[in-house]
Amino acid sequence: MFGLVDGNNFYASCERVFQPKLRGVPLVVLSNNDGCAIARSAEAKALGIKMGQPAHELKHLVRRHGLQMRSANFGLYGDMSARVVSILREAAPRVEVYSIDESFIDLTAVPNREAFAQELRTRVHRWTGIPNCIGIGPTKTLAKLANKAAKTGTGVVDLGDRAARDALLPKFPVEDLWGVGRRLAPKLVAMGVRTAADLRDAPADDILSKFGVTLARTQRELQGHPCMSLEEVEPDRQQIMVSRSFADRVHDHEAVAQALATFAVRACEKLRARGLVTSGLWIFAHSDTFRPELPQHAANRTIALPAATSDTMLVLGMVRRMLRGLLQEGIAYKKAGVALLDLARPEDVQQDLFAPAVAGDQRLMDTLDQINRKFGRGVAGLGASGWKDKPAWGMRQHMLSPNYTTIVSDLPRVRC
């Protein structure tokens, strides 16, 4: 039996934990460079604000309805997510972190699931300030469906019983199902499949032949047959990419190089956190594709590394080599990125008779990571990324909240 714990309007809720003045008022969190809405409070949704709506279209709501806007603070959101997950790990025997705001938990051995879920929901809210809902079902798809239903009810919905499923599935639109979405929904509706119950009861051969194995698996899960297990360990990734659109077009190619170095540093941090090494590297930079009247250029290079590594200094050396002659004179760049390719665990790397299988100074990298984990990311860094300097290519974040939980100087102050 699966439970799905989901933080309600997670990014907006994180902002409200440390800013009580934001509670009860419409609030949106904006994407990188303050471009568009990526999270909305219930009050903002009531104003008709759409996901992905450009920020400049919302300015009239600031004046008319007191709309509040905040720049995305992923450091804060990631730390708050970790706090929620730590509570779930204490309460449930097995936990799968599905996303920053969603986690599946194992409820197989829980006798009174609904009471357990209500108590857990209350504990998460009390200890972190994050409101949440819990959906319960014999499959992940049904738990996800139950979670959506819980948002408009008591906060917990249990679809463990067939009678509960028979009552809810006919009311649940097929386009809202996990694994369906807007692309498949019109085709399903055209063949008379309008609800979750319709999909559950449709001829299995038709679903498989017309839509493939993924939707056939969703159908089986709606019928109560688990097709997806709980994954406590995240599967190893095939690549890790870090990229960013710049706040403004960057003419200074040294600044673009600094950006790529910074992205390489972050990618290597992610690589080591997963216990992996990389054997390939890809970098890219391109001009502003939304301004076709300006000179355009798209640059990219891929290289195989001499030996697998997770050493940031070796990767940075390769980035510098790849940059020689890559950027074009007179071009202003708007986006750049770094990808680490051909990832593997060190013990799985093909051995070389004449060189170490894995290159680099692992002890130095471990020390660097420990310092940054203890004192905050960026406390110790490498000069190639500009480190402490304010970058010319930095994101536009004019409405960024303090890092209340990860930077000592940003801790809230209480005056007695």
Side-chain angles (χ1 to χ4, degrees), residues 239-251:
Q239 68 175 35
I240 291 175
M241 176 181 284
V242 178
S243 64
R244 184 177 299 170
S245 293
F246 306 143
D248 301 298
R249 293 182 294 279
V250 178
H251 296 266

Side-chain angles (χ1 to χ4, degrees), residues 20 36 58 93 148 223 240 242 342 352 357:
C36 61
L58 307 177
K148 284 195 174 185
Q223 294 166 351
I240 291 175
V242 178
D342 194 14
D352 190 318

Side-chain angles (χ1 to χ4, degrees), residues 82-356:
R83 295 180 183 212
V84 172
V85 171
S86 69
I87 297 171
L88 302 183
R89 292 196 192 282
E90 288 182 1
R94 299 170 62 223
V95 177
E96 175 190 337
V97 180
Y98 179 68
S99 67
I100 194 170
D101 61 341
E102 293 178 296
S103 292
F104 288 100
I105 59 176
D106 183 2
L107 298 179
T108 303
V110 176
N112 191 336
R113 296 186 299 265
E114 190 165 348
F116 173 87
Q118 287 288 6
E119 192 280 330
L120 179 59
R121 176 173 176 260
T122 301
R123 190 189 316 170
V124 168
H125 193 191
R126 183 185 299 126
W127 290 6
T128 67
I130 302 297
N132 59 95
C133 293
I134 301 179
I136 302 170
T139 69
K140 282 186 171 182
T141 299
L142 286 169
K144 188 91 169 176
L145 187 155
N147 186 278
K148 284 195 174 185
K151 294 181 184 299
T152 58
T154 61
V156 173
V157 168
D158 186 350
L159 295 181
D161 298 324
R162 179 61 188 260
R165 299 197 291 273
D166 288 343
L168 180 59
L169 266 60
K171 304 174 185 176
F172 200 89
V174 71
E175 61 265 23
D176 290 343
L177 274 174
W178 189 32
V180 176
R182 296 179 180 176
R183 186 177 63 86
L184 293 181
K187 299 177 182 178
L188 288 166
V189 170
M191 57 183 287
V193 177
R194 294 181 172 81
T195 68
D198 292 336
L199 179 57
R200 177 195 63 188
D201 301 332
D205 291 342
D206 288 353
I207 297 300
L208 179 60
S209 62
K210 294 178 180 177
F211 299 98
V213 68
T214 300
L215 194 63
R217 184 177 62 183
T218 298
Q219 182 186 44
R220 289 282 294 167
E221 291 235 327
L222 287 173
Q223 294 166 351
H225 306 294
C227 299
M228 295 178 281
S229 59
L230 202 73
E231 296 180 351
E232 295 181 83
V233 179
E234 180 185 5
D236 287 344
R237 300 187 181 187
Q238 298 303 306
Q239 68 175 35
I240 291 175
M241 176 181 284
V242 178
S243 64
R244 184 177 299 170
S245 293
F246 306 143
D248 301 298
R249 293 182 294 279
V250 178
H251 296 266
D252 182 359
H253 291 179
E254 283 299 319
V256 177
Q258 186 187 94
L260 286 167
T262 301
F263 302 157
V265 169
R266 180 67 186 122
C268 288
E269 289 174 349
K270 293 183 176 184
L271 185 75
R272 292 192 294 272
R274 290 170 170 79
L276 301 174
V277 292
T278 179
S279 296
L281 183 61
W282 175 53
I283 65 172
F284 73 89
H286 63 68
S287 51
D288 192 346
T289 56
F290 293 100
R291 296 288 301 277
E293 72 276 11
L294 298 175
Q296 298 290 311
H297 184 235
N300 72 89
R301 277 182 183 161
T302 305
I303 193 170
L305 301 179
T309 187
S310 63
D311 189 317
T312 302
M313 292 191 296
L314 294 181
V315 171
L316 285 176
M318 279 297 180
V319 170
R320 285 194 294 270
R321 286 179 55 186
M322 295 167 76
L323 272 168
R324 293 172 189 164
L326 180 68
L327 304 180
Q328 196 172 95
E329 192 68 30
I331 297 292
Y333 290 90
K334 182 64 175 174
K335 186 174 183 177
V338 171
L340 306 180
L341 311 174
D342 194 14
L343 308 186
R345 297 202 170 273
E347 61 269 21
D348 297 332
V349 174
Q350 180 67 41
Q351 297 294 315
D352 190 318
L353 294 176
F354 305 103

